[in-house]
Every structure is written in structure tokens, then in C-alpha cells.
């Protein structure tokens, strides 16, 4: 008998993957965590039945959420990652020698444990001496954090439901703005451009509640719904996208699988249908 995993997105579109083996099943205090081995994409980490990462394509998400803000910043030294318990975003940030401290705040320690056990290449940076891992609620962590402290805050969250819902509110983004040092950036994952105008517009409007300037960018991830994903960059001052640190990126390019100088610039070129959705509720 064949075993298939099926994910259904917000528009009732189904995505199916043939499963070779079920490696891990657990229920934490916050969510259901599963690890399966699939024929097409290798091991998959599932949270509440949704694909978080796969061995074959996780590099796209992690390179785009980590390197874009890090390369736009003149010289980031202190970074906060909220969520991201799989460790992929931390792994990518460690490729920037200028970053001295990375704090990972993950609400669910079982996600970290599962990542270290089943995705060691993704979680490889979590034991790095530049990294502090804190198992805590990201909303409370930011609320109690020092003002003007972090150069980058990266919100590597699940979808805006369950434990991740509070990470998409205007109140939260205002708290993030307070802990960012002058010239700092926030980046959050902001769902697929194909999702509803209500969801995308709400996320964008809430980020604007904490930041004066917002820019969206996109990348292609085969195992995320609709295959096209977005991230949102927030700042208090205008951002010249062309001013990214090209030399730093060129040094890293041999160690990256998706991002390069051309992709960096192109990621901010948005299709018209997506722009209209973002503007609809702004």
C-alpha cells in the first residue's frame, strides 16, 4: 500500500507527496510535529500538517529571509531570529563574519530537538558560540527586550494561525521597532502572493503600523503553496535596494544555492497582481 502526505492550502488546493517512511510523530504543548521521508524532496518537517522545510529546497527560504536584510544593512552585528527552530536561518546568518551575536528565540523546544536529530545539516549552526538559543515566547521576548539593541530582527514564523498568529499583529511589529537600533531592519515571511487580498493586505498594513517604509520581495519554493513565496522588509528610513553589499554577496555566492547578485535585484520586482493586493488594504 502506498502512503501519501497531502497538504491543503487556504484556497482548498491540494499538494501530495509520496512517503517512503514516517520518522517522527510528536505533540508538543503548542503544536503537532512530524518528520516524514518523501521520494521527491527527502525529509520533510511538518508543523500541524503543513510543510515547514524539506531537505531538497529549504535553502531558498533560508537564504532569502537571512541574506537580503543582512546585505542591505551596512554592518549587522546583533541579530534576533524569532521562530526558526529548525536552525536554517541561523546557519545562513553565520556566513556573515560581521555578525557577532545571533539570538534564536523559539517557542517550542521540541522543534529544535527534532531539527537537530533529523536535519543536522540545517540545524548545524545552533551550537555555534556566536549563537544563543532561547526557548521562549517571541512576543514576550521582544516586549521585554532592550531598546535600540538589534541590527536585524528576522521573524521566521509559521503561518498566522496557532502559535504564530501573534507574530503578525501591529502591536508586535511596534515592539520590534523599539528593539531595533537606528538603521535596523525587520524581515518577516509574508505568505504566498497568490493568497487572498485580505490576508496579504492585513500583513502589510500591520507591518506598516510599526515601520515607516515597507518593501516586499519574492522567491520560488516548490514545496510551499503555489510555489511562489514572499517576505516583507520593514525600516524607519527609505531603503535603496541597489545599495546591497555586492562584495559581501560575491564572497558568499560559492556557498549559496539560490541567491546571487542578479536574483537579489530581481526579487524586489513584483508582479502587478501582487502589488494590487498589497495596496488594496493599505
Amino acid at each position: 500500500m502506498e502512503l501519501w502526505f497531502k497538504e491543503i492550502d487556504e484556497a482548498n488546493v491540494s499538494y501530495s507527496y509520496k512517503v517512503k517512511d514516517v520518522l517522527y510523530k510528536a505533540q508538543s504543548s503548542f503544536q503537532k510535529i512530524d518528520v516524514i521521508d518523501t521520494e521527491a524532496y527527502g525529509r520533510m518537517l511538518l508543523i500541524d500538517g503543513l510543510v515547514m522545510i524539506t531537505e531538497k529546497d529549504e535553502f531558498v527560504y533560508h537564504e532569502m529571509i537571512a541574506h537580503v536584510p543582512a546585505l542591505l544593512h551596512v554592518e549587522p552585528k546583533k541579530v534576533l531570529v524569532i521562530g526558526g527552530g529548525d536552525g536554517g536561518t541561523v546557519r545562513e546568518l553565520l556566513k556573515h563574519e560581521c555578525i557577532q551575536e545571533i539570538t534564536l528565540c523559539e517557542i517550542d523546544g521540541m522543534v529544535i530537538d527534532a531539527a537537530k536529530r533529523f536535519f543536522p545539516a540545517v540545524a548545524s549552526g545552533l551550537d555555534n558560540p556566536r549563537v544563543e538559543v532561547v526557548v521562549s515566547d517571541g512576543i514576550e521576548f521582544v516586549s521585554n527586550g532592550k531598546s535600540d539593541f538589534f541590527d536585524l530582527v528576522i521573524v521566521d514564523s509559521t503561518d498566522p494561525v496557532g502559535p504564530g498568529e501573534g507574530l503578525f499583529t501591529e502591536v508586535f511589529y511596534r515592539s520590534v521597532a523599539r528593539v531595533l537600533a537606528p538603521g535596523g531592519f525587520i524581515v518577516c515571511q509574508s505568505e504566498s502572493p497568490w493568497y487572498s487580498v485580505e490576508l496579504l493586505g492585513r500583513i502589510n498594513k500591520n507591518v506598516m503600523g510599526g515601520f515607516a517604509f515597507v518593501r516586499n520581495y519574492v522567491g520560488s519554493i516548490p514545496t510551499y503553496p503555489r510555489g511562489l513565496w514572499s517576505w516583507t522588509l520593514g525600516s524607519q528610513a527609505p531603503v535603496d535596494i541597489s545599495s546591497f553589499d555586492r562584495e559581501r554577496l560575491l564572497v558568499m555566492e560559492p556557498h549559496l544555492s539560490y541567491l546571487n547578485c542578479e536574483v537579489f535585484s530581481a526579487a524586489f520586482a513584483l508582479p502587478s497582481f501582487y502589488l494590487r493586493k498589497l495596496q488594496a488594504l493599505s
Side-chain angles (χ1 to χ4, degrees), residues 7 15 17 38-46 50-65 86 88-89 91-92 119 122 219-229 231 256-259:
E7 177 179 344
Y15 309 85
Y17 305 92
T38 67
E39 288 199 357
Y41 290 97
R43 292 182 176 183
M44 283 186 174
L45 173 65
L46 312 176
L50 303 177
V51 176
M52 294 294 109
I53 63 169
T54 82
E55 287 183 306
K56 289 289 181 68
D57 69 358
E58 55 83 16
F59 60 85
V60 183
Y61 177 88
H62 292 129
E63 289 182 17
M64 293 299 281
I65 199 171
D86 56 70
T89 298
R91 178 197 64 197
E92 295 304 314
F119 301 89
V122 180
S220 177
I221 306 176
T223 52
Y224 279 14
R226 315 300 179 88
L228 183 66
W229 211 247
W231 298 265
L256 303 179
S257 297
Y258 186 82
L259 188 64

Side-chain angles (χ1 to χ4, degrees), residues 197-241:
V197 62
E198 290 80 14
L199 174 60
L200 297 176
R202 175 164 54 88
I203 293 174
N204 230 46
K205 186 176 181 180
N206 286 344
V207 177
M208 289 177 181
F211 296 88
F213 297 90
V214 172
R215 294 291 301 266
N216 306 83
Y217 60 99
V218 296
S220 177
I221 306 176
T223 52
Y224 279 14
R226 315 300 179 88
L228 183 66
W229 211 247
S230 76
W231 298 265
T232 299
L233 176 81
S235 63
Q236 303 298 11
V239 180
D240 179 4
I241 300 304

Side-chain angles (χ1 to χ4, degrees), residues 4 11 23 33 41 55 66 77 79-80 88 94 116 136 149 151 153 159 164 168 224 245 247 251 258 260 273 275 281:
W4 289 75
L23 304 176
I33 305 168
Y41 290 97
E55 287 183 306
K77 295 180 179 179
V79 182
L80 171 62
L94 287 168
K116 287 184 174 181
S136 180
F149 187 77
D151 299 306
V153 174
D159 294 335
F168 289 84
Y224 279 14
D245 194 331
E247 290 186 10
V251 170
Y258 186 82
N260 55 44
F273 80 90
L275 287 170
L281 294 178

Side-chain angles (χ1 to χ4, degrees), residues 86-231:
D86 56 70
T89 298
V90 168
R91 178 197 64 197
E92 295 304 314
L93 288 168
L94 287 168
K95 294 175 182 177
H96 297 264
E97 293 184 3
C98 57
I99 295 178
Q100 301 171 355
E101 302 175 21
I102 302 171
T103 302
L104 174 74
C105 183
E106 164 64 53
I107 196 171
D108 196 340
M110 289 182 67
V111 173
I112 298 172
D113 294 339
K116 287 184 174 181
R117 178 179 174 186
F118 295 102
F119 301 89
V122 180
S124 59
L126 294 180
D127 295 321
N128 189 284
R130 286 192 280 163
V131 179
E132 179 186 8
V133 176
V134 178
V135 178
S136 180
D137 184 338
I139 298 172
E140 291 183 7
F141 186 89
V142 171
S143 178
N144 297 325
K146 297 179 183 178
S147 298
D148 304 328
F149 187 77
F150 294 103
D151 299 306
L152 305 175
V153 174
I154 298 177
V155 186
D156 182 0
S157 67
T158 56
D159 294 335
V161 294
E165 186 172 7
L167 300 176
F168 289 84
T169 66
E170 182 177 337
V171 172
F172 172 70
Y173 295 128
R174 286 179 178 174
S175 291
V176 171
R178 183 184 59 80
V179 301
L180 274 172
F185 301 124
I186 180 179
V187 166
C188 60
Q189 74 85 6
S190 45
E191 306 295 301
S192 171
W194 291 104
Y195 279 7
S196 70
V197 62
E198 290 80 14
L199 174 60
L200 297 176
R202 175 164 54 88
I203 293 174
N204 230 46
K205 186 176 181 180
N206 286 344
V207 177
M208 289 177 181
F211 296 88
F213 297 90
V214 172
R215 294 291 301 266
N216 306 83
Y217 60 99
V218 296
S220 177
I221 306 176
T223 52
Y224 279 14
R226 315 300 179 88
L228 183 66
W229 211 247
S230 76
W231 298 265

Side-chain angles (χ1 to χ4, degrees), residues 10-80:
E10 54 113 42
N12 289 320
V13 177
S14 176
Y15 309 85
S16 297
Y17 305 92
K18 190 175 181 181
V19 178
K20 294 166 60 177
D21 196 8
V22 177
L23 304 176
Y24 181 75
K25 296 176 69 70
Q27 176 70 52
S28 75
S29 301
F30 305 98
Q31 55 209 351
K32 182 182 177 185
I33 305 168
D34 298 290
V35 179
I36 60 176
D37 190 10
T38 67
E39 288 199 357
Y41 290 97
R43 292 182 176 183
M44 283 186 174
L45 173 65
L46 312 176
I47 300 292
D48 286 336
L50 303 177
V51 176
M52 294 294 109
I53 63 169
T54 82
E55 287 183 306
K56 289 289 181 68
D57 69 358
E58 55 83 16
F59 60 85
V60 183
Y61 177 88
H62 292 129
E63 289 182 17
M64 293 299 281
I65 199 171
H67 297 307
V68 170
L71 290 164
L72 283 170
H73 196 283
V74 176
E75 190 180 21
K77 295 180 179 179
K78 297 179 180 179
V79 182
L80 171 62

